[in-house]
Amino acid sequence: MTSGTFRERVDRLAEIRATRPGAIEDAAARRVRRGRLLQPSGRLLIIAADHPGRGSLAAGPDPLAMADRRDLLERVCLALDRPGVDGVLGTPDLIEDLLLLGALDGKVVLGSMNRGGLAGTSFEIDDRFTGYDAAAIARAGLDGGKMLLRVDQDDPATARTLESCARAVTELAGHRLMAMVEPFISRRADGRLRNVLTPEAMIRAIAIASALGTTSARTWLKVPVVADMERVMATSTLPALLLGGEVPGDPDAVVAGWRKALALPTVMGLVAGRSLLYPPGDDVGAAVDAAVDVLR
């Protein structure tokens, strides 16, 4: 997918990092920040690209789709260039690549914070903060931080993750930055940690996430589309963004679910990654444009 010119720019990143590591800080200082989070329409569309940091590289049928960093960067840059796309969510390495490529001016940039619960591991629920912390997000001039909160009532490591997320919410609020919490009730089945996507489970997860930290003034939720969304979203008054999820087998059904959920008063937009970056047919621009159209 990568064009010659873009390939050359990405191939220079390693040399810049090796010889001029301060260029990352300089690029962050030069970045033109956006004055507000929401569009005039009251909507927000964020491209999620933090999956590799958890060792989660699959998209659709390809188990290593996100392993090619040059290809991933081009897909993210293509998405960010489409009208109506507000910003990106990523780990420090990806955000810094995008800064060096000059792709983040005027965009909302969210740093991914806890990536220690590596996919498929025995310690997955112990989701330690191995990425950004609140101070680093503020120092880099980003607009907020995102954390994943999976609650497994049978795993005592859940308590550590809960405490860490609460601290991060408090610290981000102290810097006047968005704290985006992605909550799930999770349990192990056949040795794998799985999120429970029933309305009742999401209601409980949202209630727990909404109460984290010493203030909820700057907390947003990131939630999947599940059955009975009206009842689910009535659990909290916090603003929420819909989770894009896996590459869909039926994109039309996914879009219909987004459209219905976006009619609810607390739902402000969409955070989508693989479903837009690796869509069926591989037309990133068309997939992003379809998401933008849903938000209108």
Side-chain angles (χ1 to χ4, degrees):
M1 181 174 178
T2 308
S3 64
T5 302
F6 191 85
R7 180 184 299 115
E8 292 164 5
R9 292 174 62 203
V10 173
D11 288 348
R12 285 197 294 270
L13 293 179
E15 179 185 357
I16 294 170
R17 286 175 171 277
T19 61
R20 293 187 290 119
I24 293 171
E25 186 177 352
D26 293 342
R30 289 194 308 270
R31 183 175 81 88
V32 178
R33 293 188 64 177
R34 178 158 134 165
R36 58 187 173 190
L37 287 175
L38 292 174
Q39 300 180 33
S41 65
R43 297 301 196 187
L44 192 63
L45 175 56
I46 301 293
I47 302 299
D50 59 342
H51 310 78
R54 201 181 292 284
S56 181
L57 300 170
D62 185 351
L64 294 175
M66 301 188 81
D68 186 330
R69 180 51 62 94
R70 184 194 291 157
D71 178 66
L72 173 59
L73 286 170
E74 184 173 29
R75 290 170 185 270
V76 172
C77 287
L78 194 160
L80 287 172
D81 279 343
R82 303 303 294 182
V85 174
D86 296 284
V88 67
L89 160 66
T91 49
D93 57 323
L94 182 113
I95 296 298
E96 289 165 358
D97 281 344
L98 293 169
L99 281 169
L100 292 173
L101 291 169
L104 298 181
D105 281 349
K107 298 297 183 182
V108 174
V109 184
L110 304 177
S112 193
M113 302 178 77
N114 58 329
R115 311 306 292 169
L118 303 182
T121 62
S122 61
F123 54 87
E124 189 170 350
I125 203 71
D126 185 356
D127 211 346
R128 303 192 185 196
F129 281 62
T130 58
Y132 281 111
D133 59 22
I137 288 170
R139 191 166 55 247
L142 308 188
D143 301 288
K146 173 258 181 180
M147 63 209 78
L148 177 61
L149 174 63
R150 291 173 292 187
V151 176
D152 182 348
Q153 65 183 21
D154 296 319
D155 193 327
T158 293
R160 186 181 298 114
T161 303
L162 272 166
E163 182 181 27
S164 299
C165 287
R167 185 182 306 115
V169 167
T170 298
E171 292 175 352
L172 286 166
H175 289 286
R176 299 184 179 275
L177 296 169
M178 174 202 279
M180 180 184 291
V181 185
E182 181 181 356
F184 292 100
I185 302 300
S186 304
R187 66 169 61 106
R188 288 201 175 269
D190 302 322
R192 293 184 59 190
L193 189 67
R194 301 180 186 275
N195 297 326
V196 183
L197 299 179
T198 63
E200 294 74 19
M202 284 309 307
I203 287 169
R204 186 171 187 229
I206 288 172
I208 293 167
S210 298
L212 290 176
T214 59
T215 176
S216 62
R218 298 181 185 275
T219 304
W220 289 52
L221 301 172
K222 180 182 178 210
V223 298
V225 176
V226 298
D228 204 358
M229 282 295 282
E230 185 171 3
R231 184 162 63 102
V232 169
M233 299 313 298
T235 309
S236 174
T237 60
L238 299 184
L241 300 175
L242 302 176
L243 168 64
E246 302 279 353
V247 176
D250 185 354
D252 292 338
V254 170
V255 169
W258 291 345
R259 195 181 301 279
K260 184 176 180 181
L262 282 161
L264 300 173
T266 60
V267 179
M268 304 293 180
L270 180 65
V271 181
R274 290 168 292 189
S275 59
L276 300 185
L277 296 175
Y278 300 89
D282 211 32
D283 190 336
V284 175
V288 171
D289 292 346
V292 171
D293 185 63
V294 172
L295 295 177
R296 288 187 178 133

